[in-house]
Structure formats: structure tokens, C-alpha cells
Amino acid sequence: MSHPHIAQKAPYPLDVEAGKNYFWCSCGLSKNQPLCDGSHKTTDMTPVKYTAAKDGKVFFCGCKHSVNKPLCDGTHGKI
Ligand code: FES
């Protein structure tokens, strides 16, 4: 299992729409953070699907080490 690249040590706020699916980049290589752009093909990692329960702002993990993936849990402050 390879380790994800730290895209940034902060979450990525994103406005999401209820019922819509989002594919969070778990490898950290996407140029379209926090979402997957296919760059993980060079790794053994795959994106994590997130379905928005309601309209609003979501804080996606930017450091890629959150225990609560794909959402930020504050882990970026400890790495
Ligand atoms: S580009 Fe990172 S998981 Fe797809």
C-alpha cells in the first residue's frame, strides 16, 4: 500500500448539492483537488465516493490522512 501525497495541510471547502456524487482524491496527485482527476492511475489508490445528504459546504480532507475520509477530521494539524 503506497502512502498518499499530502495535497495541502488544510481542508478543501466545497459547495455540494444534495443527492450528487463526488469522487474525492485519496492519492493526493489530482490537479483538481479535492476531487479525482484520474491521476491515481500511477498508484494503487482509488477515489472515495461521497454522496451529499444535503446542499451546503463540506470540508474535504486535503492532507489525505484523515481517519474520517473523505472529510477533514483535523489530522492535518498532527502531520
Ligand atoms: S486522482 Fe487521486 S484518487 Fe484519483
Side-chain angles (χ1 to χ4, degrees), residues 24-41:
W24 174 77
C25 166
S26 67
C27 73
L29 299 175
S30 172
K31 298 281 184 281
N32 185 35
Q33 293 294 334
L35 304 178
C36 174
D37 73 352
S39 297
H40 62 267
K41 284 191 200 85

